[in-house]
């Protein structure tokens, strides 16, 4: 259904693929005795979405990797792109660490352009504080990304700090905010 140029989805739950790559959103305190650093836990976005009573999506979750984004390289970006291209779902939410999120989003956009998957809508999001923290921005960013998926045109986007930006036009300023390039 189109309304004012926007595609509006009603009633039926839309299939959504949630891809976990790690990052701060999924960080948890270590479970090992004597542990002192964070570790990447189960997909936080899946847990956040499970708590939504009338979620408009039927969510399928897949883990690509469980890494800090500074450790995500070409191999992981290729795996993200492959999962997006092979997905049956047209709506895809990727949780990712903020440090290299833009790089991965741009790589996914390039793969979609080359792969001819013009109908897919992909939104990358994450958090500046782990979802397990009371003052985390995870729920806000995941909610914003889900809302964005229902109205953006096909393509790849980054949703952070209350902004939804096309991957190709996204940058970070000196304070760490995601801003238009």
């Amino acid at each position: 259904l189109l309304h004012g140029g926007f595609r509006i989805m009603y009633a039926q739950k839309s299939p959504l693929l949630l891809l976990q790559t790690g990052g701060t959103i999924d960080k948890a305190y270590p479970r090992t005795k004597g542990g002192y650093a964070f570790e990447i836990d189960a997909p936080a976005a899946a847990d956040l979405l499970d708590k939504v009573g009338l979620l408009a999506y039927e969510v399928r979750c897949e883990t690509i990797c469980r890494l800090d984004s500074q450790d995500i390289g070409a191999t992981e970006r290729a795996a993200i792109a492959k999962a997006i291209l092979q997905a049956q779902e047209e709506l895809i939410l990727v949780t990712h660490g903020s440090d290299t999120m833009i790089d991965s989003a741009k790589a996914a956009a390039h793969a979609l352009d080359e792969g001819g998957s013009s109908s897919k809508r992909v939104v990358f999001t994450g958090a500046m504080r782990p979802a397990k923290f009371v003052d985390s921005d995870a729920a806000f960013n995941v909610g914003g990304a889900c809302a964005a998926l229902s109205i953006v045109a096909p393509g790849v986007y980054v949703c952070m700090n209350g902004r939804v930006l096309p991957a190709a036009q996204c940058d970070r300023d000196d304070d760490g905010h995601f801003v238009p390039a």
Side-chain angles (χ1 to χ4, degrees), residues 91-163:
L91 305 176
I92 301 166
L93 173 62
V94 182
T95 59
H96 197 289
S98 60
D99 287 331
T100 63
M101 180 187 298
I102 296 169
D103 297 332
S104 293
K106 287 179 178 179
H110 180 74
L112 280 179
D113 287 345
E114 284 191 346
S117 295
S118 60
S119 63
K120 296 202 181 202
R121 289 177 280 179
V122 181
V123 177
F124 280 71
T125 195
M128 303 306 278
R129 293 184 191 98
K132 294 187 182 292
F133 284 20
V134 173
D135 63 346
S136 176
D137 56 335
F140 177 77
N141 290 334
V142 170
C146 283
L149 282 166
S150 71
I151 61 171
V152 296
V156 181
Y157 302 84
V158 172
C159 179
M160 289 289 287
N161 314 118
R163 288 192 170 116

Side-chain angles (χ1 to χ4, degrees), residues 9 12 14-15 29 41 58 65 81 101 121 136 140 154 170 179:
M9 294 178 227
Q12 184 178 344
S14 300
Y29 287 108
D41 204 1
E58 187 66 41
C65 57
M101 180 187 298
R121 289 177 280 179
S136 176
F140 177 77
C170 187
V179 297

